[in-house]
Amino acid sequence: MKSTISRRTALKRMSLAAGGALSAELFAHGRATDKPSELAVSVLLNEPIGTIKPAIYSHFTEHIGGVIYDGVWVGRDSKVPNIDGIRRALVDHVRRLGNVVIRWPGGCFADKYHWRDGIGPADKRPRRFGRWQEVTESNQFGTHEFMRFCRLCGAEPYFGANVGTGSPEEFQQWVEYCNAPAAKTTLADERVANGSDKPFGVRYWGVGNESWGCGGKFTPEDYCREYRKFTDWLPGYGVPLYLIAAGPDGNNLDWTRRFFKKWTDFARAPIQGWAPHYYCGTTGHALKFSNDQWYEMLDKANRMEQLITDQWAAIGEFDREHKIKLVIDEWGCWHPAGTEINKRHLFEQMGCLRDALAAALTLDTFNRHADKVDMANIAQLVNNLHSLFLADGDRFVATPTFHVFEMYKPHQGARAVRIAVQAPEVAFKAAGKERTLFRLAGSASVKGKDLTLTLVHTHATDPAEVSIQLKGVSDALASGSEIRQVVLTNEKLSAHNTFENPDQVMPKSKALKGDPLSVKCVLPPASIARLDWKLG
Ligand code: AHR
């Protein structure tokens, strides 16, 4: 359903309405309105869900297009400001994202990658061809450079092992090279000779990637057999390994059930994480879409909710105690080519406000399932799909999605609590059919005295007045509490940050007045908001 007034008019009317001059005029559901509709959120402080692992705010860097070469690695002799060859601006920004994990070297690349190609003197490393499309891989960025990148960012590494074209022996030797204490084994000596006395202590290991596709085109049963071979008798060298098995393409329950049926047949190989990948795709174009396509895109992103509950239930049929958690190690929007900043950057896309809302509603979904999701990695960190950053030579910009991750940081390590939302749905049309999408959704968490509520307001044209009630907190705790509101929005749904105009979509913060137990706030159309309380 198309709006009847422009977003600019709606925003002007909203500021009037927020000042108290409310018009009584009512419009049909899903259309622009003069009166901000009243919506309500209750934060149920005594209904805990679980601790939000900081790792659900994690990232992915693959040897593909411009992610590693140009995005992360500019080379030691580059004019681009760098630390030992690693782009300094990227490090400075990733440091702002909290205790996150970075996955590497793929993706599809991981199942073609032989880790020994990327160690030792840089000028002696082999050049390989065609590992992700027809390009040469210089191997200038390998295990030590990736570890340096993680250390500089304060991030934890997550390595993806090669099941497609590698062997269990090659995988187990990589673990040994990374984790064996100095002088313990020949591979540990080699690591020391290559400059790293201390073991890397890598906990997270993915055993194959998209094994139903580019990772070997296995059946779930065949992949399960390979998984067993790769993980049998795998020494940890004192590091508690967290092993991740390749889950389905999206919410394919057949892959999950067949893998786990095989898994229970005989030997239950060690698995800590199950990794479905979900790309919500696109509607229209990265920067050109109708209001209907705006809603349809967000609706597709919102299918993560169903994926989590379905996959969790399917795993539970075999792992009744739910020891295995979900690791959504690739997710995000995937738009058609055309907005690359550099044609060599495969899959690079310009992320706009719509991508920011898709990211925010997905992070809220993960928070609401904090008991099920151990890690999630948006694809990919820089110069690719749904990226937080775009970089080309010495130019660098943070996308609106970066601001979402930074806004949501207070949730990391906090205890998720339930919220109840009362709001009408928004109607839209997709493929000629009437559909609906939530108008307001979010998540809340508590860490010490800090209460954080994040909200995504999807209405493309109308503002909303939201009443927020804190339930299950004593008046004494809430009294005197300050409330701050941070909002990310823009008048244009396709607003984005560019090298020339990097601050087009930026969060804005203000204090909210009123009773902390029952506060009202106005959310602009198409916005993401964070509200912070400091409880007494
Ligand atoms: O993120 C780009 C590609 O998408 C990855 O290499 C692969 O795992 C997925 O299909």
Side-chain angles (χ1 to χ4, degrees):
M1 211 176 283
K2 298 282 188 311
S3 80
T4 51
I5 58 170
S6 73
R7 279 175 53 76
R8 190 183 294 272
T9 315
L11 284 165
K12 272 197 197 129
R13 288 178 181 176
M14 180 196 71
S15 47
L16 268 182
L22 295 179
S23 151
E25 201 177 342
L26 287 175
F27 285 72
H29 171 62
R31 288 173 186 260
T33 169
D34 273 3
K35 178 185 190 292
S37 345
E38 190 150 328
L39 298 92
V41 176
S42 300
V43 182
L44 311 172
L45 280 124
N46 50 17
E47 293 195 28
I49 301 168
T51 299
I52 299 171
K53 279 94 175 173
I56 70 167
Y57 288 83
S58 290
H59 301 282
F60 173 36
T61 53
E62 178 170 20
H63 288 241
I64 180 176
V67 179
I68 296 296
Y69 300 109
D70 212 6
V72 179
W73 181 254
V74 293
R76 291 190 175 82
D77 302 329
S78 172
K79 291 203 178 81
V80 178
N82 69 84
I83 311 167
D84 297 336
I86 295 163
R87 184 183 286 277
R88 184 182 285 276
L90 182 68
V91 169
D92 291 345
H93 279 76
V94 177
R95 287 187 71 83
R96 287 163 56 179
L97 295 174
N99 297 317
V100 297
V101 173
I102 306 177
R103 176 175 183 244
W104 173 84
C108 294
F109 181 85
D111 280 295
K112 305 277 180 294
Y113 181 64
H114 299 286
W115 65 270
R116 293 203 66 92
D117 289 351
I119 58 166
D123 58 347
K124 300 266 175 342
R125 296 186 193 174
R127 279 170 292 127
R128 307 286 185 200
F129 190 73
R131 301 294 148 120
W132 222 126
Q133 292 205 331
E134 305 233 336
V135 290
T136 300
E137 167 59 52
S138 69
N139 281 306
Q140 294 305 289
F141 191 87
T143 298
H144 289 256
E145 289 77 18
F146 176 66
M147 285 308 305
R148 180 87 174 114
F149 175 49
C150 288
R151 299 288 183 250
L152 288 170
C153 294
E156 191 166 350
Y158 164 12
F159 283 62
N162 180 348
V163 171
T165 60
S167 69
E169 180 71 6
E170 181 184 13
F171 167 48
Q172 301 204 353
Q173 290 194 355
W174 200 10
V175 177
E176 180 181 332
Y177 182 85
C178 290
N179 291 354
K184 185 114 185 158
T185 74
T186 305
L187 281 171
D189 292 346
E190 192 177 355
R191 185 195 66 237
V192 174
N194 286 332
S196 292
D197 199 354
K198 273 203 186 149
F200 294 138
V202 180
R203 256 194 315 154
Y204 296 114
W205 293 90
V207 184
N209 166 76
E210 299 194 352
S211 304
W212 36 266
C214 63
K217 294 204 170 55
F218 292 109
T219 63
E221 293 80 12
D222 287 347
Y223 170 60
C224 188
R225 255 180 235 117
E226 288 301 303
Y227 184 93
R228 278 177 188 158
K229 284 197 271 172
F230 272 70
T231 55
D232 201 26
W233 281 86
L234 178 64
Y237 306 94
V239 178
L241 299 182
Y242 187 109
L243 301 175
I244 298 160
D249 181 11
N251 192 10
N252 179 349
L253 289 164
D254 183 53
W255 173 271
T256 302
R257 291 207 174 97
R258 283 172 57 190
F259 175 93
F260 280 104
K261 183 160 186 325
K262 185 85 205 149
W263 180 72
T264 47
D265 262 4
F266 160 58
R268 292 176 177 241
I271 303 179
Q272 280 71 42
W274 179 245
H277 286 177
Y278 178 55
Y279 288 99
C280 59
T282 190
T283 55
H285 174 270
L287 299 177
K288 283 191 208 111
F289 44 86
S290 65
N291 282 8
D292 278 330
Q293 287 170 326
W294 159 272
Y295 291 121
E296 191 187 354
M297 174 88 243
L298 298 179
D299 188 38
K300 286 176 170 209
N302 197 39
R303 292 182 199 157
M304 185 66 86
E305 173 87 31
Q306 191 71 47
L307 181 150
I308 290 173
T309 51
D310 286 355
Q311 290 292 320
W312 184 252
I315 299 168
E317 293 165 18
F318 306 90
D319 169 35
R320 298 206 182 278
E321 292 172 57
H322 274 306
K323 291 205 168 127
I324 300 169
K325 308 290 186 206
L326 292 170
V327 170
I328 319 286
D329 57 13
E330 286 184 36
W331 65 271
C333 302
W334 194 319
H335 302 301
T339 57
E340 305 83 355
I341 49 163
N342 182 326
K343 290 287 170 211
R344 280 180 290 111
H345 295 177
L346 182 66
F347 297 154
E348 184 171 68
Q349 57 192 38
M350 189 60 79
C352 71
L353 180 63
R354 181 171 65 153
D355 302 87
L357 266 86
L361 74 86
T362 306
L363 293 175
D364 280 324
T365 305
F366 295 149
N367 290 342
R368 291 195 302 269
H369 294 284
D371 52 335
K372 307 177 187 71
V373 185
D374 263 5
M375 193 199 302
N377 310 63
I378 189 168
Q380 303 194 12
L381 184 67
V382 54
N383 287 351
N384 199 256
L385 306 165
H386 214 154
S387 292
L388 279 75
F389 310 104
L390 299 173
D392 189 24
D394 59 0
R395 300 183 301 168
F396 180 87
V397 68
T399 68
T401 296
F402 163 75
H403 295 298
V404 171
F405 272 75
E406 200 174 35
M407 275 172 74
Y408 275 54
K409 193 166 81 170
H411 283 306
Q412 290 183 19
R415 191 166 47 99
V417 294
R418 287 191 203 287
I419 65 171
V421 178
Q422 254 190 304
E425 297 207 301
V426 190
F428 66 98
K429 265 199 177 139
K433 292 207 174 105
E434 287 287 341
R435 303 264 296 276
T436 58
L437 170 70
F438 73 82
R439 177 162 181 179
L440 185 70
S443 66
S445 70
V446 185
K447 186 156 52 177
K449 292 181 174 177
D450 295 318
L451 165 61
T452 304
L453 171 67
T454 44
L455 293 170
V456 174
H457 178 224
T458 63
H459 208 295
T461 54
D462 293 8
E465 189 166 65
V466 185
S467 306
I468 302 164
Q469 308 265 331
L470 303 192
K471 302 260 172 75
V473 63
S474 71
D475 294 9
L477 269 183
S479 68
S481 168
E482 285 173 12
I483 312 164
R484 286 207 73 77
Q485 184 187 14
V486 186
V487 174
L488 189 73
T489 189
N490 194 281
E491 282 185 6
K492 271 186 81 179
L493 298 178
S494 63
H496 52 281
N497 297 335
T498 60
F499 296 136
E500 295 73 31
N501 194 354
D503 298 334
Q504 188 71 16
V505 187
M506 287 288 280
K508 294 198 174 70
S509 165
K510 67 173 187 186
L512 280 189
K513 298 219 163 57
D515 175 4
L517 284 174
S518 175
V519 67
K520 273 195 197 306
C521 70
V522 175
L523 299 182
S527 62
I528 301 151
R530 189 188 79 213
L531 285 97
D532 306 317
W533 287 255
K534 252 254 179 281
L535 302 172

